Amino acid sequence: MPATQSNLFRDQDDADLDIYYAGDLSLLKRKCVSVIGARDVSADGAARARRVAKELVQAGIVVTSGLAKGVDISAHLGAIDAGGSTIAVIGTPLNKAYPIDHAETQMKIYRDHLLISQFRPGQRTFPSDFPKRNRLMAALTDASVIIEASDTSGTLHQAAECTKLGRWLFIANSVVEDKRLSWPKKFLEYDTCVPLRHISDITSRLLP
């Protein structure tokens, strides 16, 4: 895949970071919301990710995620199936699909939506690079929604970046009310973190 370098961050503090993209760059001019969460997602969590994605695109919002298993792929497909737009921020170069099962969806996003990476074509990547992907996604979008995540989930890297960047962070109410989890309470101390009970919790804060 051909790649183009450009700085697409919304904050000037990140102006020195080049990223690579393929597809419709104008999607970043619209309101964008990351829908993220566990790779080993429950059936209810996958359905919730699809539903939230559908409701976001119906409100005119671009659904962003990381093209990983679980919540990510459910969100992308939910947005596409609803006739909306989606952005994939991946943790590998544009010319590599991970997991390989998502190669067809990655190509569709590359062709019809927007695919973004901070790794140059051919660059070797490591598991430790995925938090970098999460920071990029947090910085590119107006808000993040966590659908499902354990206390040790890598998704929490993006939650932390949202608080640092002053981005809205929404946590599915089912997660907030899960007594087995300790992480939601820490983030809900921030004014920019809100339990997600209805899609209007997002739209009322992002849309005029």
Side-chain angles (χ1 to χ4, degrees):
M1 298 178 185
T4 306
Q5 283 187 297
S6 178
N7 175 63
L8 301 176
F9 279 104
R10 301 187 181 203
D11 295 330
Q12 287 302 307
D13 289 347
D14 297 298
D16 61 341
L17 180 63
D18 284 325
I19 67 172
Y20 300 81
Y21 69 88
D24 184 2
L25 199 59
S26 70
L27 293 181
L28 283 174
K29 297 179 180 179
R30 294 166 53 187
K31 291 296 182 182
C32 300
V33 172
S34 299
V35 180
I36 54 175
R39 286 178 169 82
D40 296 323
V41 68
S42 66
D44 285 346
R48 190 174 299 114
R50 290 191 296 270
R51 184 175 67 251
V52 168
K54 177 181 178 180
E55 292 173 344
L56 286 171
V57 300
Q58 288 175 339
I61 294 172
V62 178
V63 171
T64 305
S65 200
L67 207 59
K69 292 181 180 178
V71 168
D72 289 18
I73 191 65
S74 298
H76 287 303
L77 294 178
I80 293 169
D81 291 346
S85 297
T86 191
I87 299 171
V89 183
I90 59 176
T92 63
L94 297 182
N95 59 348
K96 181 179 179 181
Y98 180 83
I100 193 64
D101 292 351
H102 297 173
E104 183 176 348
T105 303
Q106 181 166 315
M107 179 58 72
K108 181 174 182 59
I109 292 172
Y110 161 82
R111 185 178 62 244
D112 301 329
H113 300 270
L114 180 61
L115 186 67
I116 293 176
S117 174
Q118 64 195 103
F119 304 103
R120 67 181 182 274
Q123 181 176 345
R124 186 180 179 188
T125 55
F126 303 90
S128 59
D129 289 325
F130 283 87
K132 298 177 185 177
R133 184 273 307 273
N134 292 337
R135 183 181 190 284
L136 175 61
M137 202 185 323
L140 286 172
T141 55
D142 299 284
S144 294
V145 180
I146 297 180
I147 298 295
E148 191 172 285
S150 69
D151 283 328
T152 58
S153 173
T155 304
L156 303 188
H157 290 293
Q158 186 155 333
E161 293 298 339
C162 286
T163 60
K164 291 177 185 176
L165 294 168
R167 299 288 194 272
W168 286 106
L169 174 64
F170 300 92
I171 305 174
N173 199 53
S174 57
V175 176
V176 172
E177 294 182 345
D178 190 337
K179 302 301 183 185
R180 298 168 296 176
L181 301 175
S182 61
W183 71 263
K185 182 178 179 180
K186 177 177 69 174
F187 288 99
L188 288 167
E189 294 175 355
Y190 292 88
D191 293 337
T192 52
C193 185
V194 181
L196 177 63
R197 299 183 176 90
H198 189 272
I199 202 68
S200 62
D201 294 323
I202 301 173
T203 57
S204 64
R205 290 169 172 84
L206 296 187
L207 300 179

